[in-house]
Amino acid sequence: MGKDAERALSYVAERSILVPHGCRLWTRSLTTDGYAKAVVTEAGRERTVRVHRWLMEQVHGPLPARAITAHSCNESLCVHIDHLSSATQRTNMRQMADQGRAAGRAHLGYADTRGSLGRAQALQAALRDGLDLEALAAAMLEGEARPLVRKALAKGYDAEAYLAAVRASDPSAAMVPLFPADHSVIALDVEDEGQMLLF
């Protein structure tokens, strides 16, 4: 791993909290749609970045044309490099629809009822004073629409119960693995009609 990648991973680790279910939740600035945001200096110039995409580029190099950075964990606040992959917007939107997470103008399916920014702000508030698992469980439960996940979180924070409920609630889990272990960058075929490949 190169020096830039190590520096980027260290930067992210200092500004996030690793929670027991595997996500690394950003504790600093957010975009208006709930993603991690930071100002970084590169070659003497400051620029504002979405942390998950910037981190992917620092660790794996430039992304293919028209690629986005997708979260296998579906948590916009997560900046864990193992939960990030390159994908097309089309396959990312298809995965969202397949998992019942479309929100749009009206709440549909299993998207958090607070929206991604509301969820991210609630999770950050729960982690403001450090890792408090009960506060985290309450923040996760607040806008959760999936019945199995609500049931798991209602008992308090249990990483294994939470992950099992998330997997059981995902109708596309057989096609798209959640929280996979392999973290190589995937070459994209922009015209691909299949499921998003996540690592």
Side-chain angles (χ1 to χ4, degrees):
M1 183 175 306
K3 190 175 182 179
D4 287 344
E6 289 176 9
R7 198 166 47 238
L9 289 167
S10 177
Y11 178 89
V12 166
E14 292 168 6
R15 293 159 178 80
S16 59
I17 294 177
L18 183 63
V19 296
H21 63 268
C23 287
R24 178 169 284 286
L25 302 179
W26 186 251
T27 59
R28 304 290 176 92
S29 297
L30 299 172
T31 63
T32 57
D33 53 353
Y35 289 87
K37 175 177 77 171
V39 176
V40 297
T41 303
E42 295 172 340
R45 299 186 74 174
E46 287 187 347
R47 68 181 180 115
T48 302
V49 297
R50 285 182 177 238
V51 177
H52 65 291
R53 182 177 178 99
W54 173 80
L55 183 61
M56 275 288 289
E57 291 173 341
Q58 296 301 304
V59 173
H60 297 295
L63 296 178
R66 296 176 54 189
I68 62 156
T69 299
H71 291 81
S72 63
C73 58
N74 300 322
E75 190 68 69
S76 65
L77 194 58
C78 182
V79 290
H80 196 303
I81 190 65
D82 291 344
H83 293 186
L84 305 175
S85 66
S86 60
T88 64
Q89 181 67 5
R90 174 186 232 165
T91 53
N92 193 37
M93 292 295 102
R94 184 177 303 118
Q95 179 191 13
M96 181 183 72
D98 289 349
Q99 293 174 342
R101 295 184 297 109
R105 293 179 184 263
H107 177 73
L108 300 172
Y110 292 134
D112 193 293
T113 59
R114 299 166 291 191
S116 57
L117 177 60
R119 179 179 175 87
Q121 290 170 328
L123 295 180
Q124 282 188 331
L127 298 171
R128 185 166 289 127
D129 297 323
L131 185 58
D132 176 342
L133 295 179
E134 294 313 307
L136 180 61
M140 293 167 74
L141 177 61
E142 180 73 24
E144 181 59 59
R146 296 167 291 186
L148 290 175
V149 178
R150 287 189 63 76
K151 184 177 179 182
L153 290 170
K155 299 173 186 174
Y157 186 88
D158 177 332
E160 288 183 28
Y162 171 72
L163 289 175
V166 166
R167 287 184 178 107
S169 298
D170 182 1
S172 68
M175 297 176 279
V176 181
L178 297 174
F179 310 103
D182 176 21
H183 53 289
S184 55
V185 174
I186 297 168
L188 297 176
D189 177 359
V190 176
E191 300 303 316
D192 178 32
E193 294 294 325
Q195 284 289 320
M196 175 172 41
L197 301 173
L198 301 175
F199 51 86

